[in-house]
């Protein structure tokens, strides 16, 4: 019962060039329901490529991407974008919050874009902010928040549309070690409480060890 299944994924950049770069070779992995999987990889091993393929932003040369039992591989941009909006949440090293909007608005807007009513979106934003301990920061703009607070708002935004799977790329990588630890705990609690599945890339082996399973990506897939 997997939320995400990557089946024998291969990806080579510059396939037809004089110097092709093979990145992933026959890679398979699965993320189960409510499972949190760490993705640990040396730089250049293809972590971003893998997350882009899992996030339906890029397509593999070979292999299949199965999301909630549905084969996404051959689908066009329309259904892929829709699945991205409805079933996936993204968190990056940098928060990417909209600077001119408040914390609450940053969590409300993606819901409105998804057809949720203003009142329901507002209620969900307040609930999420409460879960990450930021109810008192709802009217603040990103620039008025600390780095750790910005990331916590970004977690809420990623969960705004109740995705089935969270894809995170070094979600606390920009924070000092002590803040990183605390903010990571907040993320894990949020993920556990909402029963979310997650694939989280990190270089931090201590953080990786707190997840359910660790997948290591070698130098060449
Ligand atoms: P990681 O995120 O693990 O550092 P990436 O997935 O970004 O690795 O990249 C893996 C390898 O593929 C690297 O050698 C990188 O230089 C190469 N690469 C990434 N994107 C491209 C691209 N668009 N064209 C050619 N090579 C690429
Ligand atoms: P729109 O901009 O109309 O909302 P997009 O296709 O750009 O539609 O975005 C759909 C979803 O995919 C959004 O949740 C967005 O955050 C995510 N997304 C779009 N582009 C990228 C990207 N380059 N990297 C990661 N996530 C992306």
């Amino acid at each position: 019962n997997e939320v995400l299944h990557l089946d024998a994924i291969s990806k080579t950049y510059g396939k037809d060039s004089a110097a092709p770069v093979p990145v992933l070779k026959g890679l398979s992995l699965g993320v189960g329901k409510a499972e949190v999987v760490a993705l640990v990889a040396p730089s250049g091993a293809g972590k971003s490529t893998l997350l882009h393929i899992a996030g339906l932003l890029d397509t593999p040369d070979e292999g299949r991407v199965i999301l909630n039992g549905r084969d996404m591989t051959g689908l066009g941009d329309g259904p892929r974008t829709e699945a991205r909006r409805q079933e996936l949440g993204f968190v990056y090293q940098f928060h990417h919050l909209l600077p001119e909007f408040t914390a609450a608005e940053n969590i409300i807007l993606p819901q409105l874009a998804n057809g949720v009513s203003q009142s329901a979106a507002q209620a969900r934003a307040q609930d999420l902010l409460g879960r990450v301990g930021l109810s008192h920061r709802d009217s603040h703009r990103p620039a008025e928040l600390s780095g750790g607070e910005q990331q916590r708002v970004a977690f809420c935004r990623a969960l705004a549309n109740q995705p089935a799977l969270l894809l995170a790329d070094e979600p606390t990588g920009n924070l000092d070690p002590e803040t990183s630890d605390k903010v990571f705990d907040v993320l894990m609690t949020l993920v556990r409480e909402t029963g979310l599945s997650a694939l989280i890339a990190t270089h931090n082996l201590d953080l990786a060890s707190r997840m359910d399973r660790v997948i290591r990506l070698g130098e060449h897939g």
Side-chain angles (χ1 to χ4, degrees), residues 10-48:
S10 295
K11 181 77 180 180
T12 295
Y13 290 109
K15 240 181 161 6
D16 303 317
S17 76
V21 181
V23 178
L24 303 174
K25 282 188 199 160
L27 176 108
S28 296
L29 69 83
V31 180
K33 248 195 181 357
E35 190 184 26
V36 180
V37 176
L39 181 64
V40 176
S43 181
K47 179 196 69 174
S48 304

Side-chain angles (χ1 to χ4, degrees), residues 150-220:
Q150 291 167 344
Q151 275 314 79
R152 284 189 270 161
V153 175
F155 300 161
C156 295
R157 183 204 35 204
L159 269 64
N161 284 320
Q162 314 199 27
L165 176 69
L166 177 74
L167 296 171
D169 195 352
E170 298 278 353
T172 61
N174 254 343
L175 306 172
D176 65 74
E178 196 185 326
T179 309
S180 168
D181 259 30
K182 285 186 188 149
V183 169
F184 187 81
D185 279 342
V186 170
L187 177 62
M188 286 301 280
T189 304
L190 188 60
V191 165
R192 296 302 189 192
E193 283 178 0
T194 53
L196 190 63
S197 307
L199 182 59
I200 303 177
T202 181
H203 283 117
N204 186 325
L205 295 179
D206 175 51
L207 297 187
S209 72
R210 292 191 231 168
M211 301 185 215
D212 297 324
R213 191 152 54 88
V214 179
I215 291 174
R216 285 169 189 280
L217 212 55
E219 276 299 345
H220 285 288

Side-chain angles (χ1 to χ4, degrees), residues 18-213:
V21 181
V23 178
L24 303 174
K25 282 188 199 160
L27 176 108
S28 296
L29 69 83
V31 180
K33 248 195 181 357
E35 190 184 26
V36 180
V37 176
L39 181 64
V40 176
S43 181
K47 179 196 69 174
S48 304
T49 302
L50 176 61
L51 286 175
H52 279 125
I53 289 172
L56 307 176
L57 295 160
D58 197 0
T59 51
D61 300 327
E62 287 167 54
R64 296 183 308 153
V65 180
I66 317 279
L67 189 60
N68 274 326
R70 183 175 175 214
D71 190 344
M72 306 303 296
T73 321
L75 299 183
D77 288 344
R80 290 164 63 86
T81 298
E82 193 171 325
R84 215 157 48 228
R85 280 189 186 163
Q86 294 181 353
E87 296 177 54
L88 300 175
F90 296 91
V91 176
Y92 309 91
Q93 207 167 342
F94 180 73
H95 59 78
H96 295 297
L97 296 169
L98 300 170
E100 66 271 37
F101 292 100
T102 66
E105 286 165 347
N106 267 281
I107 304 165
I108 290 169
L109 288 171
Q111 298 182 74
L112 299 183
N114 227 8
V116 176
S117 74
Q118 174 76 38
S119 60
Q122 216 152 350
R124 176 146 180 89
Q126 291 304 338
D127 174 62
L128 286 167
L129 284 170
R131 288 175 184 277
V132 302
L134 287 180
S135 295
H136 60 303
R137 291 279 181 264
D138 62 345
S139 308
H140 292 245
R141 293 201 167 76
E144 300 163 337
L145 301 172
S146 72
E149 288 172 337
Q150 291 167 344
Q151 275 314 79
R152 284 189 270 161
V153 175
F155 300 161
C156 295
R157 183 204 35 204
L159 269 64
N161 284 320
Q162 314 199 27
L165 176 69
L166 177 74
L167 296 171
D169 195 352
E170 298 278 353
T172 61
N174 254 343
L175 306 172
D176 65 74
E178 196 185 326
T179 309
S180 168
D181 259 30
K182 285 186 188 149
V183 169
F184 187 81
D185 279 342
V186 170
L187 177 62
M188 286 301 280
T189 304
L190 188 60
V191 165
R192 296 302 189 192
E193 283 178 0
T194 53
L196 190 63
S197 307
L199 182 59
I200 303 177
T202 181
H203 283 117
N204 186 325
L205 295 179
D206 175 51
L207 297 187
S209 72
R210 292 191 231 168
M211 301 185 215
D212 297 324
R213 191 152 54 88

